Amino acid sequence: MSEQQHSLFSDDLVEPLLARIEDVPDDEFKTSWPEYLADLVDVFESRLTRLSIPQPRKIAKTLIAEQAHYLGGRFRYLPKGDKLLSALRNIDIFNDWYHGKSIKLIVQEHHELTEPQIYRIVQEQRKLHQKRSQRELF
């Protein structure tokens, strides 16, 4: 990151505010923050709690506040859960195939998919894998 870019993300103003984020009571937080950000805090807190991370509410608020500071006002697309889960499933299928698992066994594990669908997923993921790991010659 260039020096000019780094200065855009200076922590001089943000860090002291984020350090005091726990001082904002939850009821005020829910009413003063946009609903979408408050919902994201709840989602992050839930995940951090499941991971047994200490102070999950404080960390969730801090992460969302920092994202809002640095990325706020920009359009960001978040895929629906189904699309994300499908993409993760496809990566998992490719990894199984890449590490030697047979297509027949993969089909048995992913009974919602047909064998031709599994072949198509492996083909698509293999192209993506090659694109990531090999540079183009021309």
Side-chain angles (χ1 to χ4, degrees), residues 52-91:
S52 301
I53 303 292
Q55 299 182 311
R57 186 79 176 166
K58 179 181 180 182
I59 293 170
K61 283 182 182 177
T62 304
L63 290 171
I64 297 304
E66 198 158 356
Q67 285 183 359
H69 173 73
Y70 291 125
L71 303 173
R74 298 179 190 177
F75 175 77
R76 295 283 181 222
Y77 170 73
L78 291 174
K80 283 179 54 179
D82 294 345
K83 187 164 182 147
L84 180 61
L85 291 176
S86 176
L88 292 172
R89 178 207 62 205
N90 292 352
I91 291 168

Side-chain angles (χ1 to χ4, degrees), residues 27-103:
D27 58 337
E28 185 180 323
F29 159 77
K30 289 275 189 187
T31 58
S32 63
W33 282 35
E35 184 179 347
Y36 178 71
L37 292 180
D39 290 344
L40 283 174
V41 168
D42 291 340
V43 170
F44 274 46
E45 179 188 19
S46 175
R47 184 62 183 157
L48 292 168
T49 299
R50 286 193 307 266
L51 293 170
S52 301
I53 303 292
Q55 299 182 311
R57 186 79 176 166
K58 179 181 180 182
I59 293 170
K61 283 182 182 177
T62 304
L63 290 171
I64 297 304
E66 198 158 356
Q67 285 183 359
H69 173 73
Y70 291 125
L71 303 173
R74 298 179 190 177
F75 175 77
R76 295 283 181 222
Y77 170 73
L78 291 174
K80 283 179 54 179
D82 294 345
K83 187 164 182 147
L84 180 61
L85 291 176
S86 176
L88 292 172
R89 178 207 62 205
N90 292 352
I91 291 168
D92 190 45
I93 287 171
F94 173 76
N95 285 334
D96 285 348
W97 173 83
Y98 187 77
H99 293 297
K101 195 175 280 189
S102 73
I103 295 290

Side-chain angles (χ1 to χ4, degrees), residues 17 19 25 38 52 76 89 101 106 110 113 117 120 133:
L17 297 173
S52 301
R76 295 283 181 222
R89 178 207 62 205
K101 195 175 280 189
I106 295 171
H110 296 275
L113 299 171
Q117 288 173 315
R120 184 182 47 76
S133 60

Side-chain angles (χ1 to χ4, degrees), residues 107-119:
V107 169
Q108 289 174 1
E109 291 174 358
H110 296 275
H111 50 73
E112 75 279 9
L113 299 171
T114 65
E115 191 169 322
Q117 288 173 315
I118 297 287
Y119 275 110

